[in-house]
């Protein structure tokens, strides 16, 4: 992998770094970026460069520190001297954002981590980590669709259906499909990552754990609530479910901007 950083910048105002979910491909984030760009300088990180010409090239196994180190380097490039940044991390990007908060807090103002799948923090976390391992094993044995179905069932708390007529993924699919890159290279190490609540609580930057209102009762909503409680952080529900940032981009942007507003500032950043 090249050391070159990949990111897009849009808008004006204080810096808001977005770390996407999945394999970090920023596809689908255009509408929420547009809704935020009149109040923030929105910097969308693409950790693997998949949206910047690297889709189809080999990707090594990824770990949260790989993404958080890259995010810290992005902030060094884009932040004006003396300023700090807001950060939104979504799903796997939320795990990277939590790692950024612990390991690179120097220029952070407020982190929002939306449904990070760090399920190991739960009392029954080992069970759920094993279930994510089954998603990976299903991908290797039966391919993308079967693994996607199993992961959806896991997040929703229902039993998965056995795949019919599935085949292992081809090497071409594994490098050219963002979801396949996520299943093969991101999911194994990210879902076994366990942030320490005490380390999160001791960071000088603010932390808010977030989950979709439509995710109530589901695994990652429970994970976000638990981590917020045990790190003495805020918890906020956002519109939609796990993919609310794409399902309801304008409403999601409104909630995010309100969440990021300084406690002593009565203005709502996206208020019109």
């Amino acid at each position: 992998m090249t050391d070159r950083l990949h990111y897009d910048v849009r808008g004006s105002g204080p810096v808001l770094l977005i770390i996407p979910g999945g394999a970090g491909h920023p596809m689908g984030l255009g509408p929420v970026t547009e809704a935020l760009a009149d109040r923030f300088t929105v910097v969308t990180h693409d950790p693997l460069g998949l949206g910047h010409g690297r889709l189809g090239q080999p990707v090594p196994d990824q770990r949260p520190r790989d993404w958080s180190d890259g995010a810290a380097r992005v902030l060094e490039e884009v932040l004006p001297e003396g300023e700090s940044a807001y950060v939104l991390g979504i799903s796997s990007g939320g795990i990277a954002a939590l790692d950024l908060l612990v390991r690179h807090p120097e220029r952070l103002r407020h982190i929002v981590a939306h449904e990070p799948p760090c399920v190991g923090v739960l009392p029954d976390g080992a069970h759920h980590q094993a279930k994510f391992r089954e998603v990976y094993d299903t991908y290797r044995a039966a391919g993308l669709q079967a693994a996607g179905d199993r992961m959806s069932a896991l997040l929703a708390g229902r039993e998965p259906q056995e795949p019919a007529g599935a085949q292992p993924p081809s090497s071409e699919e594994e490098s050219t499909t963002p979801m396949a890159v996520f299943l093969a290279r991101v999911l194994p190490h990210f879902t076994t990552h366990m942030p320490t609540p005490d380390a999160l609580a001791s960071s000088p930057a603010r932390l808010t754990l977030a989950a979709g209102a439509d995710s109530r009762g589901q695994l990652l909503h429970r994970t976000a609530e638990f981590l917020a409680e045990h790190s003495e952080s805020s918890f906020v529900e956002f519109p939609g479910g796990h993919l609310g940032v794409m399902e309801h981009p304008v409403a999601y942007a409104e909630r995010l901007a309100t969440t990021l507003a300084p406690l002593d500032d009565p203005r709502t950043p996206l208020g019109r």
Side-chain angles (χ1 to χ4, degrees):
M1 287 289 291
T2 177
D3 287 336
R4 179 184 173 188
L5 297 173
H6 300 278
Y7 59 90
D8 297 301
V9 181
R10 182 174 183 178
S12 60
V15 170
L16 167 61
L17 176 69
I18 298 180
I19 309 176
H25 195 303
M27 59 185 176
L29 296 181
V32 75
T33 299
E34 181 178 358
L36 290 163
D38 62 343
R39 297 291 177 134
F40 297 95
T41 298
V42 184
V43 181
T44 308
H45 191 202
D46 180 2
L48 301 180
L50 301 184
H52 292 80
R54 292 193 57 81
L55 188 62
Q57 298 186 31
V59 175
D61 288 344
Q62 297 294 296
R63 289 168 173 79
R65 68 184 301 128
D66 299 325
W67 288 22
S68 63
D69 286 348
R73 291 172 57 209
V74 169
L75 290 179
E76 285 299 316
E77 287 195 5
V78 303
L79 268 176
E81 186 175 354
E83 293 190 13
S84 55
Y86 297 111
V87 179
L88 168 66
I90 305 160
S91 190
S92 53
I95 290 180
L98 294 176
D99 195 59
L100 180 69
L101 182 69
V102 172
R103 297 179 55 248
H104 300 286
E106 301 84 10
R107 304 194 68 185
L108 303 180
R109 184 173 184 178
H110 190 166
I111 296 274
V112 175
H114 182 99
E115 297 197 11
C118 46
V119 294
V121 301
L122 295 170
D124 54 352
H127 167 76
H128 297 298
Q129 286 178 325
K131 291 295 183 181
F132 273 114
R133 180 68 193 191
E134 289 178 7
V135 172
Y136 173 81
D137 292 341
T138 298
Y139 171 69
R140 287 297 181 206
L144 184 60
Q145 184 63 50
D149 290 346
R150 181 171 286 273
M151 187 163 66
S152 295
L154 170 60
L155 298 184
R158 55 179 172 80
E159 288 298 317
Q161 296 182 347
E162 291 301 318
Q167 296 183 358
S170 66
S171 57
E172 179 182 4
E173 176 189 68
E174 186 159 303
S175 64
T176 59
T177 306
M179 183 63 176
V181 175
F182 165 70
L183 291 168
R185 301 302 180 192
V186 178
L187 179 142
H189 292 294
F190 275 61
T191 54
T192 56
H193 181 72
M194 289 182 59
T196 304
D198 288 346
L200 297 175
S202 65
S203 174
R206 288 187 62 201
L207 171 63
T208 295
L209 276 299
D214 294 346
S215 299
R216 290 175 192 167
Q218 297 183 7
L219 175 60
L220 298 187
H221 192 288
R222 183 159 64 95
T223 301
E225 283 189 294
F226 183 92
L227 196 55
E229 178 183 355
H230 288 265
S231 64
E232 299 181 350
S233 305
S234 300
F235 174 79
V236 176
E237 282 192 335
F238 275 63
H242 187 61
L243 300 178
V245 67
M246 290 183 282
E247 297 164 342
H248 307 286
V250 174
Y252 193 100
E254 294 279 355
R255 183 63 56 84
L256 177 63
T258 303
T259 300
L260 294 177
L263 294 178
D264 58 351
D265 188 345
R267 296 171 299 170
T268 301
L270 285 184
R272 307 207 190 280

